[in-house]
Each structure stands twice: as C-alpha cells, then as structure tokens.
Amino acid sequence: MATAEASSNMKKVQVRRYKPEENADTNYLNAESGLRSWLLTKDHKRIGILYLIATTFFFFFGGLLALGIRMELWTPAATFIEADTYNQLFTLHGVIMIFLFLVPAVPAILGNFFLPMQIGAKDVAFPKLNLASWYIYMIGAIGTIFVIFAGGIDTGWTFYMPYSSTTGGAVTFMSFGVFILGFSSILTGINFITTIHKMRAPGITWGKLPLFCWSLYATSIIQILATPVLAITLALVGMERLLGIGIFDPALGGDPVLFQHFFWFYSHPAVYIMIVPGFGVVSEIVSTFSKKTIFGYWAIAMSSLAIAFISFLVWGHHMFVSGQASLANMVFSFLTFLVGIPTGIKMFNWLATMHKGSISLKTPMLYILGFFFLFTVGGLTGIALATIAIDIHLHDTYYVVAHFHFVMVGGMVMAYLGGLYYWWPKMSGRMYNETLGKISALLVFLGFNVTFLPQFVMGAQGMPRRYFNYIDQFQGFHQVSTIGAFILGIGFAMVFYNLVKSLFNGEKASANPWNSRALEWQVASPAPPHNFDHIPVLIHGPYDYHKPMADFQLGLAQTNGHEPEMGTHIEADKEVEMKD
Amino acid sequence: MEALRNFFLPPAKTAVAEQYDTLFWFVHISSLVVTIGIVVAIIYFIIKYRRKSENDVTPVITHNNKLEVTWSVIPLIITLVLFGWGFQTYIDMTKAPTDAYEVNVTAQKWLWRFQYKSGASTTNELHVPAGRPVKLIMQSQDVIHSFFVPDFRIKQDVIPGRYTEAWFQAREPGESIVFCTEYCGTDHSNMLAKVIVHEPEEFAQWLEDNSGAATKPTDLAPADWGEQLVQQNACATCHSTDGTELTGPTWQGTFGSEEQLADGSTVTVDENYIRESILNPNAKIVQGYGQVMPSYQGQLNDEQINAIIEYIKTLK
Ligand code: HEM
Ligand SMILES: [Cu+2]
Ligand SMILES: [Cu+2]
C-alpha cells in the first residue's frame, strides 16, 4: 500500500515495475475506428496525427511551388511562366511553408503526441481545446490559401506596405487568415504550458523534465506573447482600410516603415517558434543515440528560455536599410548578436554529449548530424548578417534566402524529420526501412547543399531576391541550384515513401527500439489509448543511461481504486525514495 | 587568391567597399574555421565513439561549469568585436562627407530618375564624376523600392513620403549596375539602372551637354531625337518596337491602328491619343494591360512629346 512519509522534501512511495507490453491488443489507433472517431477525437495522439496529415499535404504543396520557382529560374528571362505568376508562386510558397507547415510542424505534431507521454500524463490539460485548435488551424489554412488564389496575392510573405495595399482588400483577409492560424498556435501554447505545470507524474521535477518539453515550454511562451501583436496589426490595417485612418499607407498620411516594425515584432519571434522546438528534438535524439546522459541539461533548458526572451528584442535587424535611425540599428545589431550566444551554448553541449558516447548512426541520428552542419552554417551566416555593415550589402539578396533556408530547412526540417523517424515506431507501431532511410537522408543532405550553397555566392555577388529575371552572370549558379532542388525533392519523396510503406509492410516495432530511458518509450508501440494504465513514477532523469532500464518503468503500486493484476508485466511492490 | 575573391564578391570600386570587404572576409573566414572545427569534432566523435555493442557503457558526465563559461564568454568577446567593427564600418558606409555632390533620385514603378543640380535629368542612368563623393537624396513616388549598387556595397530603401540618403565615391571611370532590392511588383526584376562614372572634366562636359535636354539638338531630326528621348526616359522597359510583348503594348505598327480599350470602347491611335497616353496614362487603358504606366506630366515638354510621336510614327 502506498505510504507517503515526508522526510524533509523527500518522500517514500510504494511502486511496482510496469514493463511495457509487446504486441498489445489495443492501442490508440485501433481503440476506436471510423472517420468520426478521428474527426471528433480528444486524444492528443490522434490530434497529432491529424496535424501530421494536414501539414504533410501543405509541405508537399509548398515544395511543388518551390520546384516551380526553381524551374522558372533556369534561364535569365521568362522560362515557362510570367512575372506575375512567379510573384504569386513565391508568395504562396513562403506563406505555406512558414505559417502552414513550419510553425505547427514540431509543436502540433510531435509536441502534441509526445509532450503528455513524456511527463506521464494521460492527455493534455484541455483536450477539447486541443481539437478546437486543429479545426481553427484548418480553417485558417484553407482560408489563407483561398485568399491568395482568389486575390492573386503577390506581395511576398512579408506583405510590406504600401505595395500590399495595392492588392485591394486582400491583405486584410490575408492577415486575418494568418491571425486565425496564430490563434490556433496560441491555444496549443496555453495547453502545453498548463499541461507542463499541472500534469507531471510523481517524481518529474523541473530538473527531470525532458528537454523536448522545455523547448515546447519556451515556444509556447513566445506563441502566447507574440501572436496578439499580429491581432493588433490586423486591427490597425482594418481601421486604415475601412475607416481611412492613415496608419501605414503614406497616401493617407501613414508610415509604411511602421508596418515593418509591427510585422517583424511578430514574425521575428515566430522564427523562433519555428526553430526552438527543433532544438528539443535534437536534445532527445543526441542523448538516445549516444546512449549517454545529456551534457549541460540546465544550460540547454535555460538557453531555450533565453532565446525566447531575447527573440522579442531583435526584430529591427530586418530593417537595417529601411531608413531606421543608426542608433536603433546599433541596438538591434547588438541584441541580435546576443541571441547567438545561447544558440552556440546549445551546439557545444550537444557535441559534448556525443563525446565519449556510444554513437549509433541510425536514420534519426543522421538527420541530427545534418542539422549540426546545416544549422551551424545557417547560424554563422546569421552572425554575418547581424553585423550591420555586412548586412547592408547582403540584405534582400540570395544570401539571405540561403541563410533562412539553412536555418529553417537545414535546421528545423532536419530536426523534424529526425524526430519523425525517431518517434515513428511509437506513432505507427512499425519500423521504417533503415537502408532506405539512410539513403534518403543522404539525398536530402546532398540536395539541400547543392540547392542553397550556390545561393550564398550569388547573393554576395549581388543577385537580389524575388527576381523573376536576372542578369546573365548568375545563370550558372541558378542552374546548379535548380538541379539541387530536384535532388532534394526526390529525397523528400523517398522519406514519404519509406514511412508510408512501413505502415503496410514494415516490421512490427518493439516498445523501445532505441533503448531510450525516456518515459514515452516505456509503454507499448503503438502507444496505448490512454498512454499509461498506471501512474508513472520517476526516480531518475530521462537521460540517465547509467541506470538500469527497470528503474524507468516504475509506477505507483496503487492506482485510483482499481488494482492492476500482477503478472508478467507487473512485478512485486517495492519502496523508493523520491523528491517531492 | 584574387580569383577566389572575385568568385565571392563583385569588384570593390570604392574605398568604402574595400573596407567592407575586409570585414566580410574576417567574419566569413572565422566562421569557416568554426564550422570546420565543428565538423572535424563530429567526424572524430562518430568514428572514435561509434557504438560497438548494445551494452556499451558510457561515462556519466552531467555538466562542466568551466566549459559552459568558456564557450559562452569566448563567443561573446568575438561577437562584441564584430559588433563594434560592424557598426564603425556601417557609419563610414552611410555618413556622407559634407562636400558631396548631390543628386536627387526618384524611384517609381519601375524606373529610376536622376536630377542633377544643373537641371539635367536622366532615367535609369546615373552619371557621376570619379574621385568625388556623391550623395543621393532619394524618394519614391509610389511603393518602397531599394537602391542597391553591388560594386559600391551600398543599399538603401527608397520610401514614399520621406527622404532617405546614400553616398559613394567611385574611384575610377566605368559602369556599375543598380538593382532594385525591395520587392515592388511585376517588373521589380527589370528595375535596373547603371551608374556611369566619368573623369571629372568629362562629367562637367556631360552636364553641360545635357542641361539643355529640354530643347532639340540642332543636328538631329525630330524622330531621331524622339528615339533618344525614349531611351532616356526608359519607355523601352515597357514598350517594345519590334512586336515583343512587354508590360505595355508594343509600338510596332501602333500608329493609326485601332486600339481596344479596357472599358470596351475603341480608339484610333493618333497624335492626341499618344499625347494623352503620355501625360495622363490612366485616362484610357488598353485592354489586357494594367494601370502601371507612370505619368510624364512635368517630365516631358510639348516639343519632346512631339518628337516622341514622330518617332512612334516611324515604327511601322
Ligand atoms: C524544397 C526545397 C525548397 C526550395 C527549392 C525552395 C526554394 C525557394 C526559392 C527559389 C525561393 C524564392 C526566392 C526568391 O524568389 O527571392 C524561396 C523562398 C522562400 N522559401 Fe523556400 N524553398 C524550399 C523549401 C522551403 C521550406 C521547407 C521553407 C520553410 C519551411 C521555405 C521557406 C521559404 C520562404 C519563407 C521564402 C520567402 C518567400 C518570400 O520571399 O516571400 N522554403 N524558396
Ligand atoms: Cu529576425
Ligand atoms: Cu523593386
């Protein structure tokens, strides 16, 4: 029977070992069936899958548009489409990739699925709100795409005034669509913060919280604080359009540069909404595949929060040539450099985790190694751009295009794919094909570099961004880049093929194929309908690879009322001491 | 070395550009060193610490505060150096000397106009003397544009309703390309111009020759002068003379023909219609085209418009 004896802040609890079941009969996928059971589900895991399906669709749509853009750039003049079509293509590509794919990808898919499992909870704090946020996301996504098509929006994803006011009412609708999307991410953020605060299983102190959860925590804070600014911007745009009050449009006496301030005040933190969850994935995978305690747990956890905080103060680095005062430029440049420090700290801690580890080069780890290289390049070119003088020449050239693709695709998409492969056995109950996984990872890495490395060079040479035509001197670079894009495209298609194929004829996954110590791996694959049939108890941290696996499978001996049956999976009671 | 430098950066045609390049190389070479360091460490680790068996035991190393401080403080120092150096160079790049020669720049979809003190004005060609600082005082007529000269490493947004400035001092005579680098619509990527740097005496001569641009040079027939004006005013970015479709209708065979207008009516292209099209382009919109042609009211006088009409007449 459970005895809780408080001694200072340690307490004793009665626990049992609950070994994860192999080949369990029911899991979250087959517990209920039918379309209705999916569309009305409140299960965080199923909602994660709903997000996965939607974002995958948008990712491939956005990717096809990218191939269209790249094909058009094969020759310096018109290749197969007109200038206006080209401008709509890159707008649609940017909007889809950022707001429809990248922002929700890791938090809403992997976060939704694994955050509750990592903290030993049965669900998120507000399951209905969680489902609502998916619907809101879908409405925002479909609305946004519809508006772009119907209004023929060609402003780029930045919607700069006053150009964007020439596209009629479309900007208002557009920012409304983006705001709806933002609202969905606010709801997810609120859910995550509450869940982390309130629903941690016994023993999961803040110091034992998996780093993936820490990164989602930091992300949620940004989402909640930054998104309302988008609403304010929207309200101002609406007031200007409908009431004729001059705010941004110089024709009405407004200030177009003010719009840029508002836009980046939201969108720069949004850049970190995109990357910080990826950091969390990296921490999980590096530790698991090095079979070693994470190095600098607190440094990594706190640097996420530091990044979240500083990210609110650097928006002006997008406006160094906008005519903003030199003093403002100086301050923004300085603060931007500061973001580099916590980011560097993370890199070094991950590398130190690999040091003296037992490194296994499975597919998820290959993506993380790719991440290390690509994100380093993305980050260091970011440092170059933070140096005001250097940015003057490089701003709005292909150098910047390459920089943000290195961060967003080379960083975040690599982390996301690594995470998807890593958690795939738990999500699908199947193992993907390892050989195919490795080949496609290499193709993605190769294709990515061939696509985007030449863009640094042509950008430094002066090739401006958002150019339909270009001068002949850049053609060689553009052609290499286009070839790379197709290699990259094939790589992504293979990833898709590999994962989907595994659903049909993949090997059945064991509960813990990576021998991870983290809690989400201590239940059956695919995950059981309610995650845990017991209340898990943690006496070690999630990265304590020096402790025996059995220590990570403990749960309270007594569960609310009903007594689990003793058997092969459940061992006799014992007593452990743990921090309160 | 030289070849490598030219591979990455355009030629540096001002002293400031050279100053820029030094910083550029410092940042990129140190970044390269860091990147190589990280890659080497990764490769070393994955070879040396490759998993040998599933039962491998790894040491428990949770943290090391000395290391954390080291790899926070060293990057901090490096970035502070970069910050200071970058800011200093930025000031040199943007603060024009007081004795600079001033040119007014007007940007509009999708061309650049340059007005000189002497009264001369040019479109899409900026003429400047070598060896003398030139300051550009810029304003936009419509949306935001950005004035970018890679050879000089300068870039500055050009904004409606407000003046912005840029400056440079070209060392030698020659030509450099100007790009518009703030997205401004359909012909954003065609909004190019040239900086033409002259020897100082040559520039003085050029100014003198062009200040009277509003009257016909005596040695030219009206149609030839019209052709020149069309070049100078960049009509050719939107109108072809050989039937090619650009942003605007081609002028080949247009004179005397019937145009279908967007409102459904038709009009005969005659002198009055062309005159109206130039001074008030939005009064009659040709079917299938947008309202994008800028008005040349105040830019072209009657004599010039007549010359352009004569020129269009010759395009059969
Ligand atoms: C599949 C590989 C991809 C290729 C080949 C590609 C290519 C391109 C190209 C050529 C541009 C246009 C640059 C210009 O005209 O100035 C562009 C813009 C952009 N891309 Fe990608 N891209 C890819 C993936 C992604 C992903 C995964 C994301 C984000 C997750 C992304 C985000 C963006 C953004 C935000 C823009 C800027 C759009 C704008 O300027 O309005 N791209 N991309
Ligand atoms: Cu930013
Ligand atoms: Cu432009």
Side-chain angles (χ1 to χ4, degrees):
Chain A
M1 299 295 96
T3 51
E5 270 175 24
S7 65
S8 67
N9 65 348
M10 299 296 275
K11 71 175 179 187
K12 288 206 169 81
V13 286
Q14 205 68 28
V15 296
R16 293 176 184 162
R17 178 176 180 199
Y18 297 82
K19 254 184 163 165
E21 217 174 328
E22 296 296 349
N23 298 314
D25 297 333
T26 48
N27 56 55
Y28 83 103
L29 290 169
N30 66 12
E32 278 180 277
S33 61
L35 192 60
R36 228 182 109 85
S37 77
W38 280 92
L39 292 180
L40 296 180
T41 183
K42 278 170 273 165
D43 181 354
H44 65 101
K45 300 184 286 301
R46 287 186 162 213
I47 296 173
I49 300 292
L50 290 179
Y51 269 111
L52 174 64
I53 295 169
T55 50
T56 304
F57 174 77
F58 293 131
F59 178 72
F60 278 99
F61 185 31
L64 283 180
L65 298 172
L67 291 181
I69 300 174
R70 285 293 354 148
M71 251 151 69
E72 173 50 46
L73 295 173
W74 184 258
T75 63
T79 308
F80 79 108
I81 50 176
E82 286 174 29
D84 287 327
T85 319
Y86 178 86
N87 296 342
Q88 289 170 21
L89 275 191
F90 74 66
T91 304
L92 201 52
H93 165 72
V95 170
I96 288 182
M97 286 305 196
I98 297 231
F99 297 112
L100 273 54
F101 169 69
L102 217 47
V103 170
V106 170
I109 303 170
L110 300 177
N112 246 327
F113 203 110
F114 292 105
L115 177 124
M117 297 184 70
Q118 287 199 322
I119 60 171
K122 290 199 189 327
D123 208 319
V124 290
F126 310 113
K128 282 186 191 153
L129 203 59
N130 201 13
L131 181 63
S133 71
W134 184 74
Y135 278 101
I136 295 175
Y137 164 78
M138 289 306 285
I139 293 170
I142 293 169
T144 305
I145 291 186
F146 177 76
V147 172
I148 297 182
F149 270 118
I153 295 192
D154 68 341
T155 60
W157 78 282
T158 46
F159 316 123
Y160 272 16
M161 290 280 202
Y163 180 74
S164 59
S165 67
T166 59
T167 51
V171 221
T172 319
F173 286 114
M174 190 59 240
S175 30
F176 192 61
V178 172
F179 172 68
I180 294 178
L181 288 167
F183 210 81
S184 148
S185 68
I186 291 188
L187 295 184
T188 307
I190 291 176
N191 229 331
F192 283 0
I193 290 184
T194 320
T195 308
I196 292 174
H197 270 276
K198 290 287 172 204
M199 303 186 58
R200 302 194 311 275
I204 306 192
T205 52
W206 287 99
K208 286 194 203 134
L209 194 63
L211 289 165
F212 182 54
C213 298
W214 269 113
S215 75
L216 289 173
Y217 189 75
T219 309
S220 302
I221 294 177
I222 313 179
Q223 279 172 335
I224 292 178
L225 295 181
T227 318
V229 178
L230 194 62
I232 297 172
T233 317
L234 174 71
L236 294 176
V237 170
M239 267 156 72
E240 178 166 280
R241 297 277 113 221
L242 305 175
L243 308 176
I245 302 172
I247 297 166
F248 303 127
D249 192 345
L252 299 170
D255 180 359
V257 178
L258 184 65
F259 178 82
Q260 300 179 18
H261 282 288
F262 272 101
F263 179 82
W264 288 112
F265 190 87
Y266 165 71
S267 290
H268 186 82
V271 171
Y272 288 91
I273 296 177
M274 297 176 227
I275 191 72
V276 173
F279 293 158
V281 176
V282 174
S283 303
E284 299 294 317
I285 295 180
V286 165
S287 171
T288 306
F289 288 83
S290 305
K291 211 167 183 272
K292 184 163 165 282
T293 314
I294 194 93
F295 187 93
Y297 173 89
W298 282 111
I300 296 181
M302 288 305 121
S303 56
S304 289
L305 289 181
I307 290 173
F309 177 70
I310 307 174
S311 76
F312 280 100
L313 308 173
V314 301
W315 77 90
H317 65 209
H318 297 273
M319 301 167 58
F320 286 154
V321 303
S322 70
Q324 161 176 277
S326 323
L327 181 69
N329 278 345
M330 183 181 96
V331 173
F332 283 124
S333 163
F334 180 75
L335 291 166
T336 304
F337 279 118
L338 287 191
V339 185
I341 309 295
T343 314
I345 291 179
K346 280 183 187 291
M347 260 326 273
F348 293 127
N349 280 292
W350 290 324
L351 291 184
T353 304
M354 287 169 64
H355 178 67
K356 295 194 174 165
S358 159
I359 301 172
S360 148
L361 294 181
K362 294 264 168 55
T363 308
M365 187 64 175
L366 287 189
Y367 278 102
I368 301 312
L369 296 179
F371 169 98
F372 285 153
F373 173 71
L374 301 176
F375 187 71
T376 302
V377 175
L380 289 172
T381 49
I383 291 287
L385 292 170
T387 315
I388 319 178
I390 294 188
D391 182 68
I392 302 294
H393 174 65
L394 298 177
H395 177 75
D396 267 346
T397 66
Y398 263 77
Y399 188 97
V400 171
V401 175
H403 157 72
F404 69 68
H405 280 90
F406 263 78
V407 175
M408 295 194 307
V409 186
M412 182 62 169
V413 177
M414 292 301 125
Y416 167 66
L417 290 181
L420 200 58
Y421 272 110
Y422 173 59
W423 278 308
W424 190 250
K426 191 60 59 193
M427 298 170 81
S428 69
R430 302 286 179 162
M431 293 306 290
Y432 58 85
N433 180 313
E434 192 63 57
T435 317
L436 200 56
K438 283 183 178 161
I439 294 174
S440 54
L442 291 178
L443 263 188
V444 167
F445 182 76
L446 179 80
F448 181 85
N449 282 297
V450 176
T451 312
F452 292 103
L453 280 177
Q455 297 188 0
F456 280 123
V457 184
M458 62 176 147
Q461 283 283 5
M463 170 73 211
R465 159 185 190 193
R466 297 176 175 173
Y467 260 34
F468 169 72
N469 291 330
Y470 55 85
I471 57 175
D472 296 345
Q473 128 191 29
F474 298 117
Q475 187 170 14
F477 294 116
H478 274 299
Q479 294 193 337
V480 174
S481 183
T482 301
I483 294 171
F486 279 89
I487 303 178
L488 182 56
I490 295 171
F492 285 138
M494 273 171 74
V495 172
F496 183 75
Y497 171 78
N498 193 7
L499 294 180
V500 170
K501 184 170 145 284
S502 76
L503 294 179
F504 297 101
N505 59 8
E507 218 181 290
K508 274 210 154 68
S510 67
N512 191 355
W514 320 122
N515 287 322
S516 170
R517 296 296 191 267
L519 196 50
E520 75 269 23
W521 294 105
Q522 310 304 343
V523 294
S525 297
H530 297 289
N531 305 348
F532 304 93
D533 291 327
H534 53 278
I535 295 178
V537 171
L538 265 94
I539 52 176
H540 307 305
Y543 310 107
D544 286 348
Y545 280 90
H546 52 290
K547 299 281 164 56
M549 191 68 89
D551 278 8
F552 295 84
Q553 299 172 340
L554 303 179
L556 285 187
Q558 192 198 36
T559 47
N560 296 338
H562 85 267
E563 186 77 357
E565 271 180 38
M566 304 274 274
T568 47
H569 299 297
I570 301 171
E571 293 176 359
D573 294 3
K574 60 177 173 181
E575 204 176 52
V576 295
E577 236 187 345
M578 60 171 215
K579 259 216 183 111
D580 198 4
Chain B
M1 252 346 254
E2 190 64 26
L4 199 64
R5 201 176 315 153
N6 291 339
F7 181 70
F8 284 101
L9 284 170
K13 295 193 179 167
T14 62
V16 165
E18 278 186 354
Q19 214 181 321
Y20 175 94
D21 290 2
T22 313
L23 177 59
F24 180 94
W25 286 116
F26 176 77
V27 172
H28 284 88
I29 290 172
S30 21
S31 298
L32 187 67
V33 172
V34 175
T35 312
I36 291 177
I38 289 178
V39 170
V40 168
I42 292 175
I43 293 177
Y44 176 76
F45 290 169
I46 58 180
I47 294 174
K48 177 117 196 264
Y49 304 118
R50 187 87 190 247
R51 185 167 300 178
K52 303 202 173 71
S53 109
E54 285 307 312
N55 302 321
D56 281 355
V57 177
T58 55
V60 185
I61 312 170
T62 56
H63 62 287
N64 181 326
N65 290 341
K66 272 197 204 120
L67 270 181
E68 298 290 351
V69 171
T70 316
W71 60 47
S72 311
V73 171
I74 294 179
L76 185 66
I77 294 172
I78 298 176
T79 51
L80 283 179
V81 171
L82 286 183
F83 162 72
W85 187 349
F87 185 63
Q88 185 54 49
T89 308
Y90 164 73
I91 294 294
D92 295 341
M93 288 168 81
T94 48
K95 208 164 168 64
T98 43
D99 61 339
Y101 178 77
E102 291 181 1
V103 179
N104 279 301
V105 181
T106 311
Q108 82 189 75
K109 286 178 184 171
W110 290 281
L111 44 87
W112 300 97
R113 285 216 177 91
F114 303 98
Q115 270 128 3
Y116 307 80
K117 283 276 145 54
S118 70
S121 85
T122 51
T123 304
N124 289 351
E125 273 183 9
L126 170 60
H127 293 263
V128 296
R132 176 155 181 210
V134 175
K135 175 165 150 187
L136 306 175
I137 299 165
M138 307 192 285
Q139 198 191 5
S140 167
Q141 299 268 302
D142 39 46
V143 300
I144 303 179
H145 302 275
S146 193
F147 187 86
F148 174 38
V149 188
D151 289 352
F152 303 160
R153 318 282 188 267
I154 60 166
K155 180 179 291 130
Q156 175 60 53
D157 284 2
V158 183
I159 301 168
R162 174 196 295 192
Y163 292 104
T164 52
E165 293 175 5
W167 84 278
F168 61 88
Q169 176 173 353
R171 270 197 298 232
E172 280 159 19
E175 287 188 5
S176 293
I177 193 159
V178 179
F179 293 112
C180 173
T181 44
E182 185 60 70
Y183 175 69
C184 56
T186 313
D187 272 341
H188 169 55
S189 64
N190 291 334
M191 195 167 154
L192 311 182
K194 253 190 288 187
V195 184
I196 301 174
V197 183
H198 302 273
E199 292 290 5
E201 313 81 63
E202 200 183 280
F203 178 69
Q205 184 62 46
W206 178 89
L207 268 186
E208 200 169 302
D209 291 351
N210 285 273
S211 301
T215 52
K216 185 173 83 67
T218 45
D219 55 338
L220 280 183
D224 294 336
W225 188 40
E227 183 171 4
Q228 247 186 26
L229 289 168
V230 162
Q231 290 306 324
Q232 285 164 6
N233 288 285
C235 313
T237 47
C238 300
H239 296 285
S240 78
T241 54
D242 59 0
T244 320
E245 270 304 306
L246 300 175
T247 313
T250 180
W251 285 343
Q252 189 185 39
T254 190
F255 193 83
S257 69
E258 290 270 307
E259 281 294 3
Q260 183 79 34
L261 298 183
D263 62 9
S265 58
T266 53
V267 61
T268 312
V269 179
D270 58 10
E271 285 85 351
N272 279 324
Y273 169 70
I274 295 183
R275 188 185 155 82
E276 185 189 44
S277 292
I278 295 173
L279 295 178
N280 190 6
N282 291 345
K284 299 199 178 74
I285 298 293
V286 184
Q287 177 148 43
Y289 296 92
Q291 296 195 9
V292 291
M293 178 167 157
S295 161
Y296 286 84
Q297 185 90 46
Q299 308 274 341
L300 294 172
N301 62 27
D302 288 348
E303 203 189 343
Q304 290 169 315
I305 293 174
N306 291 342
I308 291 175
I309 294 173
E310 288 309 311
Y311 169 62
I312 293 179
K313 281 183 185 169
T314 66
L315 302 167
K316 292 283 164 5

